[in-house]
Amino acid sequence: MTTHKLSPNLAVSESGFLFLTTTGETFTANPVGREIILALQSGKSDDEILQSLTSEYDVPAAAAERDFHDFVAHLRHHGLLVSEPKAGGSAQ
Amino acid sequence: MKHGALTIAVTGLNATDNPGPGVPVLRSLADANSGHRFIGLLYDTLEPGVYIEDLTARNYLIPYPSNGLETMFERISYIHEREKIDFLLPTLDTELYVFSKLAPRLSELGIGTFLPSTNQLNLRGKDRLSRFCEEHDIPAPKTEVLNSLSELEKAVKDFSFPVFIKGAFYDAAPATNLAEAVAVFQRLQYKWGLPVLIQERMQGDEFNVAGLGDGKGNALAAVAMRKLYITDKGKGWAGVTIYDDELLKTARRVISVLNWTGGLELEFVKAKSNGEYYLLEINPRFPAWIYLATAAGQNMPEALVRFSTGVPVKPLVDYEVGKVFVRASWDLITDMSRIERLTTAGEI
């Protein structure tokens, strides 16, 4: 199981507005993006998030996985994740 | 020295598209509700701060610093006779040398100041900053001081384009090749004189820190900000408070090694290449966005006045992150008679 950790300096609002307190950068996530971010914040693993997405939305597992990893790569690119993902991390 | 409710004179009421810090300094002092009375000191009858209702009790024109120490001292003495100034808070780069040199004489009149010394002002000068940073192991962009065009032609061999060509006091422009560098050099030399500086152009985002030094190496306050909107003059027109431990640590170290006295603004770039903060400039006074720091929880102008008048001031450490300022353009309406009085009598 892989778990990604969000930067502790990221403030996430109800509306999906993200504010990185160390740089002043702001981002907007759409409802699905916000759902993923909140799931990451609560310590959920990739598998758990993907399972939740595929059961909630009408999307093939392969497409969901591709889009999820794409989104995580975006988060990493913008400095919203800390270090490398934790492999084998326990999910809550 | 007298403390409590004071008569405080402030300069820099030029709240224009290149704003001076006088208006936000006065706004901060007024917010403290200490019962102060404010006197505006102006270089121009159209400094907008004069026409903001209830900002100052009285306003006086003062001579430009280039008129010399005596002319300035005479004018301040005249104003002091009428207004009994307790404290003078200059906010503009160009006048700081004059007021710093006049500080002992002003003190004899009973006017308090809290200003960097001439030596401190020199150390942070653009032409000395690079050496200062090197001596104190503070990362800074590679910079060379140029005293002739031939020195520029020699120096560019040690730099990769694009570079910044900067005036010794104001102004800077990028250059992408030698011909552009020569053109900018000649323009800056004509406008501001020598030396002119050549500086490595670092890729990265800019961050600013407003701070207050106690003159003994301690930071009494420090707030970090990132500009959200920049005008074509390079002025921040909106900004947000941020918190980065590394940035504030570096800022406190600069205040410490300079034993900085008074307000200042530090400009940094966070290098894309290694994520380190590089010091671009030290402005020897509060920035025009100082009211954002007040709104975020650190009222530095009030802390400066209190500390320098002998009131114990605990260092301000915490502040609210995510506080935003957005500057607005707002027409103030006045009557020609007020401008007439200020022009002819020099006071209003």
Side-chain angles (χ1 to χ4, degrees):
Chain A
M1 263 194 301
T2 305
T3 308
H4 295 277
K5 197 172 174 217
L6 281 175
S7 164
N9 303 310
L10 186 68
V12 184
S13 78
E14 284 291 312
S15 62
F17 187 76
L18 313 175
F19 173 52
L20 196 55
T21 58
T22 46
T23 67
E25 287 168 290
T26 55
F27 308 88
T28 315
N30 66 15
V32 183
R34 183 179 154 267
E35 206 175 313
I36 295 171
I37 287 166
L38 291 177
L40 290 172
Q41 243 182 356
S42 65
K44 287 200 170 130
S45 71
D46 288 12
D47 291 347
E48 285 173 308
I49 297 171
L50 279 166
Q51 204 173 11
S52 148
L53 289 174
T54 45
S55 63
E56 196 177 336
Y57 300 97
D58 183 19
V59 58
E65 194 170 346
R66 191 184 59 232
D67 289 350
F68 171 76
H69 288 301
D70 205 31
F71 184 70
V72 167
H74 272 291
L75 294 178
R76 188 177 302 288
H77 172 74
H78 289 293
L80 307 184
L81 294 180
V82 285
S83 62
E84 287 306 304
K86 200 165 61 175
S90 63
Q92 290 169 3
Chain B
M1 188 187 282
K2 184 180 165 186
H3 49 82
L6 305 174
T7 296
I8 303 174
V10 175
T11 65
L13 271 62
N14 52 323
T16 61
D17 60 343
N18 182 12
V23 169
V25 161
L26 285 166
R27 201 174 165 199
S28 300
L29 292 169
D31 267 17
N33 288 319
S34 300
H36 302 315
R37 180 173 173 270
F38 303 120
I39 307 298
L41 302 179
L42 328 160
Y43 294 103
D44 192 288
T45 51
L46 287 179
E47 288 191 25
V50 180
Y51 305 101
I52 297 175
E53 205 143 328
D54 299 328
L55 187 67
T56 50
R58 290 285 289 171
N59 298 281
Y60 290 83
L61 283 172
I62 57 172
Y64 282 103
S66 54
N67 287 303
L69 293 181
E70 279 317 309
T71 315
M72 182 66 87
F73 184 71
E74 275 171 30
R75 182 63 176 159
I76 299 295
S77 303
Y78 168 87
I79 299 167
H80 180 59
E81 273 172 30
R82 275 146 192 81
E83 304 295 343
K84 302 284 172 269
I85 300 169
D86 296 306
F87 198 85
L88 174 59
L89 212 166
T91 66
L92 302 170
D93 298 31
T94 43
E95 63 190 11
L96 285 176
Y97 277 95
V98 167
F99 284 114
S100 181
K101 284 178 183 165
L102 285 179
R105 292 171 71 189
L106 293 173
S107 173
E108 280 171 24
L109 295 180
I111 303 174
T113 54
F114 195 62
L115 296 169
S117 65
T118 304
N119 186 42
Q120 286 174 324
L121 288 170
N122 286 339
L123 274 176
R124 46 64 49 189
K126 284 187 187 183
D127 55 338
R128 300 250 201 117
L129 188 63
S130 176
R131 203 187 324 153
F132 164 81
C133 288
E134 212 177 296
E135 281 168 13
H136 297 281
D137 207 22
I138 295 164
K142 183 177 160 187
T143 308
E144 269 187 51
V145 180
L146 311 167
N147 283 296
S148 68
L149 202 52
S150 63
E151 282 186 14
L152 168 69
E153 283 159 357
K154 221 162 89 185
V156 288
K157 290 173 190 149
D158 299 328
F159 286 81
S160 344
F161 285 106
V163 293
F164 264 117
I165 306 292
K166 301 174 104 173
F169 299 106
Y170 295 106
D171 225 341
T176 55
N177 54 48
L178 179 60
E180 278 182 22
V182 168
V184 177
F185 179 100
Q186 286 174 325
R187 180 175 68 78
L188 294 177
Q189 181 185 4
Y190 177 74
K191 202 168 172 188
W192 303 108
L194 291 169
V196 169
L197 312 176
I198 181 168
Q199 188 171 79
E200 171 189 10
R201 187 175 183 177
M202 303 206 65
Q203 298 293 321
D205 294 319
E206 279 190 39
F207 295 89
N208 298 46
V209 177
L212 173 60
D214 70 354
K216 295 169 191 150
N218 306 304
L220 291 173
V223 170
M225 183 274 290
R226 182 198 177 126
K227 290 175 187 172
L228 295 176
Y229 184 90
I230 299 173
T231 67
D232 54 4
K233 280 193 174 174
K235 305 295 164 192
W237 214 249
V240 59
T241 53
I242 58 149
Y243 187 92
D244 187 337
D245 211 32
E246 273 311 303
L247 175 62
L248 287 158
K249 257 190 216 162
T250 311
R252 288 203 175 91
R253 205 152 74 77
V254 174
I255 291 172
S256 170
V257 293
L258 280 168
N259 283 325
W260 191 259
T261 310
L264 87 171
E265 180 191 29
L266 304 169
E267 295 181 15
F268 292 94
V269 62
K270 188 176 187 182
K272 257 189 185 159
S273 55
N274 60 9
E276 268 197 74
Y277 287 102
Y278 286 70
L279 183 61
L280 290 179
E281 261 181 47
I282 302 175
N283 296 316
R285 36 77 194 157
F286 289 130
W289 56 270
I290 194 66
Y291 189 72
L292 175 70
T294 302
Q298 295 196 11
N299 189 334
M300 297 191 212
E302 178 67 9
L304 180 151
V305 172
R306 288 168 72 87
F307 181 79
S308 61
T309 51
V311 179
V313 172
K314 270 194 188 164
L316 304 167
V317 180
D318 298 327
Y319 63 87
E320 198 178 328
V321 173
K323 208 75 173 166
V324 175
F325 83 89
V326 182
R327 208 161 270 159
S329 178
W330 178 272
D331 296 349
L332 299 165
I333 303 300
T334 190
D335 289 315
M336 190 49 95
S337 59
R338 297 193 74 202
I339 292 171
E340 177 200 334
R341 276 210 303 281
L342 194 49
T343 309
T344 54
E347 54 191 84
I348 188 168

